[in-house]
Amino acid sequence: AYWTTTTRCPLKIQNAMSGIQEKWGNLLELAATRKATLASSVELHKYHRDVNVLISRIQAADASIPSDLGRDVSTVQALQRKHQSMTHDIQAIRSQVEGLDRENERLQELYPGARARGVGERQEQLESSWSRLQDHLTLRKEALLAATDLF
C-alpha cells in the first residue's frame, strides 16, 4: 500500500501543478487584455480631453473678438493691427486642430464601432467651433475694411 500511495502523490502534485500553470496562464492573458483595454481608454480619454481644452480655447478666442469698429481712421487702423495680431496668434490653434484631426483618423481606424463614432462626433464639434471662429474673424476683417472706407 505504501508504494501505490507514494507513486500517486507525484502524479497528484503534477496534476495540481498543471492546473495551477493553466490558471496562471489564463490570469496572465486576462491581465494583458486588461492592460490593452486600459491603454486604449487612456488614449481615448487624452484625445477627448485635448479636444475639450482646444474647444475652450477656440471659444475664448471667439469671445475675445471685439465688435468695436473705431471712430476715426487711426482707431480703425489700430483695430486692424490688433485683428491681424490676433489672427496670427490663432494660427497656433490651427496647428492643434490639424494635429487632433490626424489623431482622430488614427483613433477611428484603431477603435472601430461606438468608440470611433464618439471620437468622430467630438472631432465634428471641434471642426464646427473652429469654423465659427474662422467665420467670425473673416466678418471682423471685412467690417474693419468697410470701416476704413468710411473714413
Side-chain angles (χ1 to χ4, degrees), residues 116-129:
R117 282 190 300 279
V119 167
E121 288 169 4
R122 290 302 291 155
Q123 188 66 24
E124 287 173 14
Q125 292 170 355
L126 176 62
E127 295 291 337
S128 175
S129 293

Side-chain angles (χ1 to χ4, degrees), residues 35-45 47 103-120:
K35 183 178 178 181
T37 302
L38 287 172
S40 70
S41 294
V42 166
E43 192 171 37
L44 290 167
H45 177 74
Y47 171 79
E103 184 69 2
N104 165 55
E105 291 172 8
R106 187 183 75 77
L107 291 174
Q108 284 196 28
E109 286 178 19
L110 249 144
Y111 308 111
R115 287 180 160 187
R117 282 190 300 279
V119 167

Side-chain angles (χ1 to χ4, degrees), residues 23-141:
K23 289 177 182 178
W24 179 251
N26 291 341
L27 183 62
L28 290 176
E29 191 176 309
L30 285 172
T33 301
R34 181 69 176 152
K35 183 178 178 181
T37 302
L38 287 172
S40 70
S41 294
V42 166
E43 192 171 37
L44 290 167
H45 177 74
K46 181 185 178 310
Y47 171 79
H48 286 287
R49 185 195 64 221
D50 290 348
V51 168
N52 289 339
V53 167
L54 194 53
I55 286 174
S56 293
R57 285 188 63 202
I58 290 170
Q59 289 171 341
D62 193 33
S64 72
I65 298 173
S67 58
D68 181 28
L69 296 176
R71 294 187 176 93
D72 56 31
V73 174
S74 62
T75 307
V76 172
Q77 289 173 341
L79 288 171
Q80 285 176 328
R81 285 190 299 275
K82 185 176 179 181
H83 179 77
Q84 189 174 15
S85 174
M86 177 183 274
T87 302
H88 178 73
D89 293 345
I90 288 175
Q91 292 310 309
I93 294 175
R94 179 184 191 153
S95 65
Q96 290 178 318
V97 170
E98 291 168 354
L100 285 174
D101 189 43
R102 286 188 299 275
E103 184 69 2
N104 165 55
E105 291 172 8
R106 187 183 75 77
L107 291 174
Q108 284 196 28
E109 286 178 19
L110 249 144
Y111 308 111
R115 287 180 160 187
R117 282 190 300 279
V119 167
E121 288 169 4
R122 290 302 291 155
Q123 188 66 24
E124 287 173 14
Q125 292 170 355
L126 176 62
E127 295 291 337
S128 175
S129 293
W130 176 248
S131 181
R132 275 192 306 276
L133 175 61
Q134 292 299 305
D135 291 346
H136 197 179
L137 286 170
T138 301
L139 290 173
R140 173 74 175 157
K141 182 178 181 179

